[in-house]
Amino acid sequence: MFIFDATPLIYLAKAERLSVLSHLDEPRLIPQRVYEEVVTVGLDAGYPDARRIEHRVEDGAFDVVSVPENVVFERFRENPNVSDADVSVLVLAGERGATAVMDDAYGRDIADVEGIETRGTAHLVLALVRDDELPGEEARETLEAMLDAGWHCSPALYAKLLSKLEELA
């Protein structure tokens, strides 16, 4: 099961590549707070990527779920460096034994301390290539489209990703 944070959804939507996630065999969940941040606020601001995400939810590619504000939620929420949306991703992934899909290094550090598995957007794309669910060229085009849309990736990491793609293809 995968719990999606805002950044992977936004940049895959901006790159018009959300469809690659349909190759994932496990359920794909979006916490309600993430949905509100990305889709509700995004639609109000007129962002086309928000509409793309909304359509994928309507098509059943993602389920939007609420996250209870329990003791763990409140503990994470005390950290001023983590948004309520990020807290929701971490709490839901922890409760369900799922993988939090997030690119934010700080959120991933918190997850590591709490024993919550995380993966970034690039990892999912590479995993789909590894599992023969996505051709290597389409994966490279997806990463390039995300970069063109403003996704942050250091040149060193991008070089490693391309090298890994060549190895997998």
Side-chain angles (χ1 to χ4, degrees):
M1 177 178 306
F2 295 100
I3 314 298
F4 283 85
D5 193 21
T7 301
L9 294 171
I10 290 169
Y11 285 100
L12 284 167
K14 284 181 182 233
E16 298 186 37
R17 300 295 177 135
L18 277 170
S19 61
V20 301
L21 298 177
S22 64
H23 297 289
L24 295 171
D25 288 338
E26 298 183 42
R28 297 167 298 273
L29 305 180
I30 301 173
Q32 183 66 42
R33 282 184 175 82
V34 172
Y35 184 85
E36 290 166 3
E37 177 182 300
V38 173
V39 176
T40 306
V41 173
L43 289 173
D44 289 345
Y47 294 130
D49 51 292
R51 179 72 65 208
R52 290 181 191 114
I53 297 165
E54 180 184 51
H55 285 255
R56 297 298 295 162
V57 169
E58 290 169 354
D59 293 343
F62 299 94
D63 291 318
V64 177
V65 296
S66 62
V67 177
E69 294 187 17
N70 57 23
V71 174
V72 176
F73 186 96
E74 292 303 326
R75 182 168 52 85
F76 286 173
R77 182 187 248 175
E78 290 175 7
N79 186 329
N81 299 314
V82 184
S83 72
D84 282 354
D86 291 340
V87 168
S88 295
V89 170
L90 294 169
V91 168
L92 191 60
E95 284 185 351
R96 300 207 181 185
T99 301
V101 181
M102 56 187 353
D103 291 337
D104 175 65
Y106 191 78
R108 291 172 68 139
D109 287 345
I110 293 171
D112 185 48
V113 169
E114 297 293 330
I116 299 168
E117 182 179 3
T118 60
R119 294 290 182 257
T121 309
H123 179 271
L124 288 186
V125 172
L126 291 175
L128 290 170
V129 173
R130 179 199 64 218
D131 296 341
D132 291 325
E133 296 291 337
L134 189 67
E137 183 62 22
E138 188 175 343
R140 187 188 56 72
E141 290 170 0
T142 297
L143 294 173
E144 287 178 0
M146 289 172 47
L147 285 168
D148 289 345
W151 181 64
H152 297 287
C153 177
S154 72
L157 176 58
Y158 188 62
K160 287 179 185 176
L161 293 171
L162 291 180
S163 176
K164 190 66 175 176
L165 270 176
E166 286 179 26
E167 178 184 315
L168 293 171

